Amino acid sequence: MSLLQTDFADAAPAPACVMVIFGAGGDLTSRKLIPALFHLCAAHLLPDSFAMLGLDRLDLDDARFRERIASDIARHVGPAFDAAVWERLEQRLHYMQIDMLAGADYEHLCQRLTRIDADRATEGNYLFYLAIPPSLFGRVTEHLGTIGLLHQTEDDWRRVIIEKPFGRDAESAAQLNRELHRNLDESQIYRIDHYLGKETVQNIMVFRFANGFIEPLWNRHHIDHVQITVAESVGVEHRGAYYEEAGALRDMIPNHLLVLLGFLAMEPPNSFEAEAMRGEVNKVLDAIQPLTPEQVLTNAVRGQYGAGVMPTGERVQAYRTSSGVAANSQTETFAALKLTMDNWRWAGVPFYLRTGKRLTAQYTEVAIQFKRAPTIMFKNTDVGELNPDMLLLRIQPNEGIQMSFSAKLPGPTMRLGQVNMDFCYEDYFGNKPATGYETLIYDCMKGDATLYKHADTVEKGWEIVQSVLDVWSALPPRDFPNYAAGTWGPAAAGQLTRNDGRSWRRIETPTAHGGLRGGNASGGRGGGCTPCG
Ligand code: BG6
């Protein structure tokens, strides 16, 4: 029995339904969606009355579509692959060729779904997954609406999953929401931010609210500041054309980094219900102070990588030489912000956010630095200034939680060192086979939108960064490229924390056995973290 099966031992299968994937010939379908269905099938969470209908332009029939998926399913599923599970899943996969922009094809879709309903007893419940470019969301939902496929009755449901980008600024995000709302009620729209599918992100809430000792410390009286780092050592790979339009800020901050910030800063919701949870996250976003144009100049930093050498020794080319990228590109591949909140819990506590491509390490973490203890007790000793304690939430890789604090060094005199208490997910829960989409798809089938984004959350995220987008587009950068691949980003990012007498936590390169070594923020002595595994 796989760990996934163990974890879901008590969970009931999802209700009968057809999952209709627009863009079934694409990468997302073969790399993530079908493997996620495989894991759900292995865990007996797909109902007997389940079917998947893939839609795309390719001229395939059911048999050829199944062959196509079968050719690399084992690779995408990895060691958890089990031929018997695949056999169960494969016979539920169907395919239909479609021109997504042609109204007439939606009549064929209707007929095909009616047949599947009859053959598979799927009860008229349809989950439409739009694995297609966002520019098509409006037109596809318009066609689905016109033909009646989005109309729900008391006996059946119709839901639509879409994935980011949800617009490229506050105005286009609002416009996209308006287009979707023309044919869908908000309760039918499931907006995926794949960070919400990560176990370690969900665990932020559990860590905070299921443990009595944390909450009393979780406020401006005890926390000095918070650092959120989503560092990537990879470049833009084959997505140069998309990235050139997006840049690091749009690609990561209003969505993934604000998901982390929302969970870190929210008040305890009354329940895990979607409305309660999303309401609390929205209050956090409302409390974040948008930067004025003057503040953008000091509290926001952008960078673009030039050629460099990664810690592994690999030499990499500058961003401007990537395919799909202009030779004089002004797009940022690094962004850092200092944000503050105006509410009772967090007033005066800065949240420093940074993300970038081709940085030294592939690493996502939240570092919470506590205020220093008063030193009076140590006044006649060799102990100088006390180190601040730090809590580290390692989101990925080496998923875990680490607390670092001061301890007495053994010996006759009073000297202190920094030590770590470390929890590693893998030690307790093993290495679970999952794509991150399993819970999200299962939740949508059950109608649970807790881990999906509401229209308001998306728009508020854009509003927070809008002034940065405005100032950056009005003042094109003059120093790009301003950091070498394989480093921690532009010098100005260091200045962002130094201006406040602080420093980014040092995250160092992977060690030979795959762990990471890092250091305390604020230049504390010692403080290496214990690598996992
Ligand atoms: C995506 C971005 O949303 O998230 C990518 O478009 C980025 O540029 C990716 O690489 C990061 O996701 P993860 O799960 O690898 O941290």
Side-chain angles (χ1 to χ4, degrees):
M1 184 183 272
S2 76
L3 277 155
L4 196 68
Q5 283 169 295
T6 316
D7 293 349
F8 281 110
D10 300 333
C17 64
V18 187
M19 178 167 167
V20 182
I21 303 181
F22 283 80
D27 237 26
L28 182 68
T29 303
S30 53
R31 282 192 308 114
K32 301 284 187 187
L33 303 182
I34 305 278
L37 289 178
F38 179 96
H39 290 138
L40 289 173
C41 186
H44 299 281
L45 292 179
L46 290 183
D48 290 337
S49 309
F50 170 79
M52 194 286 274
L53 174 62
L55 306 176
D56 217 316
R57 267 182 306 198
L58 306 168
D59 181 12
L60 300 173
D61 56 13
D62 286 0
R64 278 188 295 150
F65 178 67
R66 290 172 188 173
E67 269 167 33
R68 195 182 143 101
I69 299 286
S71 66
D72 54 9
I73 181 78
R75 184 163 58 86
H76 292 311
V77 168
F81 183 75
D82 175 340
V85 174
W86 171 240
E87 218 171 282
R88 277 204 326 264
L89 180 64
E90 186 184 26
Q91 39 173 304
R92 298 159 189 228
L93 305 185
H94 303 273
Y95 181 82
M96 184 185 141
Q97 186 182 19
I98 191 175
D99 173 353
M100 291 173 209
L101 300 181
D105 282 14
Y106 286 77
E107 285 174 23
H108 302 148
L109 174 59
C110 255
Q111 292 154 8
R112 185 73 192 269
L113 283 171
T114 308
R115 282 205 301 279
I116 292 179
D117 273 339
D119 295 349
R120 302 276 178 183
T122 41
E123 300 176 12
N125 296 327
Y126 305 146
L127 186 175
F128 297 101
Y129 198 115
L130 307 193
I132 52 178
S135 56
L136 297 177
F137 291 166
R139 280 178 286 172
V140 167
T141 50
E142 184 75 44
H143 283 305
L144 287 171
T146 308
I147 205 80
L149 280 172
L150 298 179
H151 179 71
Q152 326 190 86
T153 67
E154 282 194 352
D155 301 323
D156 55 34
W157 50 259
R158 308 288 159 88
R159 298 176 189 139
V160 173
I161 298 185
I162 56 175
E163 234 179 291
K164 79 176 248 293
F166 308 122
R168 51 177 286 106
D169 53 21
E171 171 48 35
S172 56
Q175 168 63 23
L176 174 63
N177 283 333
R178 283 194 294 275
E179 275 177 38
L180 294 170
H181 289 150
R182 274 208 290 272
N183 293 286
L184 289 156
D185 184 71
E186 177 61 24
S187 64
Q188 294 177 278
I189 308 172
Y190 287 69
R191 295 178 192 78
I192 285 196
D193 182 314
H194 78 278
Y195 264 59
L196 284 165
K198 292 184 192 285
E199 291 287 343
T200 41
V201 175
Q202 294 167 25
N203 193 48
I204 294 175
M205 272 182 307
V206 175
F207 181 65
R208 285 189 56 196
F209 301 132
N211 297 300
F213 74 101
I214 287 292
E215 213 33 37
L217 303 176
W218 209 258
N219 55 51
R220 67 193 160 100
H221 302 299
H222 301 282
I223 292 180
D224 178 74
H225 74 277
V226 176
Q227 299 184 7
I228 302 178
T229 299
V230 181
E232 296 189 273
S233 52
V234 291
V236 290
E237 297 170 310
H238 54 280
R239 297 162 72 229
Y242 153 76
Y243 199 84
E244 186 66 349
E245 290 299 310
L249 179 72
R250 286 190 171 91
D251 190 40
M252 301 294 287
I253 293 188
N255 33 66
H256 306 328
L257 276 86
L258 288 189
V259 160
L260 293 170
L261 195 157
F263 279 8
L264 288 165
M266 73 200 279
E267 293 301 316
N270 285 345
S271 71
F272 273 113
E273 297 296 313
E275 210 171 308
M277 293 271 305
R278 303 199 302 191
E280 293 303 338
V281 167
N282 284 350
K283 283 190 212 162
V284 170
L285 302 183
D286 281 337
I288 294 176
Q289 302 291 283
L291 301 179
T292 62
E294 293 71 35
Q295 285 170 329
V296 171
L297 301 178
T298 50
N299 293 0
V301 172
R302 59 186 152 170
Q304 186 194 79
Y305 67 84
V309 183
M310 301 303 291
T312 54
E314 185 198 357
R315 291 191 164 276
V316 298
Q317 299 298 314
Y319 170 70
R320 287 179 174 179
T321 64
S322 312
S323 142
V325 169
N328 60 351
S329 169
Q330 306 281 44
T331 300
E332 82 282 356
T333 58
F334 177 97
L337 296 183
K338 172 184 161 185
L339 295 176
T340 52
M341 263 171 266
D342 189 14
N343 63 18
W344 276 85
R345 189 187 282 266
W346 295 116
V349 179
F351 283 69
Y352 300 98
L353 278 52
R354 64 175 164 168
T355 184
K357 301 276 186 199
R358 284 291 184 215
L359 300 181
T360 317
Q362 188 83 17
Y363 199 70
T364 297
E365 69 164 34
V366 175
I368 294 138
Q369 189 168 303
F370 290 90
K371 293 192 165 162
R372 286 173 210 273
T375 48
I376 178 95
M377 189 182 150
F378 299 94
K379 66 177 184 283
N380 297 324
T381 69
D382 291 340
V383 175
E385 202 175 46
L386 294 175
N387 274 328
D389 304 324
M390 195 180 56
L391 179 71
L392 195 63
L393 308 179
R394 292 194 304 265
I395 306 296
Q396 62 189 25
N398 291 344
E399 290 79 356
I401 297 178
Q402 178 186 302
M403 182 76 219
S404 67
F405 55 93
S406 296
K408 181 181 177 302
L409 295 178
T413 57
M414 179 54 76
R415 287 185 309 126
L416 304 187
Q418 202 77 4
V419 295
N420 296 326
M421 283 196 306
D422 208 340
F423 150 69
C424 292
Y425 271 75
E426 196 174 345
D427 294 347
Y428 281 79
F429 308 123
N431 209 346
K432 210 171 62 168
T435 62
Y437 282 78
E438 289 77 3
T439 309
L440 294 172
I441 293 174
Y442 176 68
D443 281 358
C444 178
M445 289 174 175
K446 287 189 312 166
D448 180 351
T450 311
L451 296 176
Y452 286 88
K453 284 190 151 176
H454 190 275
D456 294 346
T457 316
V458 170
E459 290 180 33
K460 286 176 197 295
W462 282 113
E463 280 157 21
I464 289 165
V465 299
Q466 189 60 51
S467 60
V468 184
L469 293 173
D470 291 343
V471 173
W472 283 3
S473 76
L475 300 176
R478 276 181 279 169
D479 58 349
F480 278 7
N482 59 356
Y483 70 98
T487 65
W488 275 108
Q495 199 56 46
L496 184 70
T497 47
R498 270 198 303 280
N499 288 342
D500 299 336
R502 302 185 172 104
S503 60
W504 292 105
R505 200 184 89 82
R506 280 199 320 277
I507 303 165
E508 288 171 9
T509 46
T511 59
H513 54 288
L516 285 163
R517 299 200 69 80
N520 216 349
S522 300
R525 266 171 293 173
C529 82
T530 317
C532 277

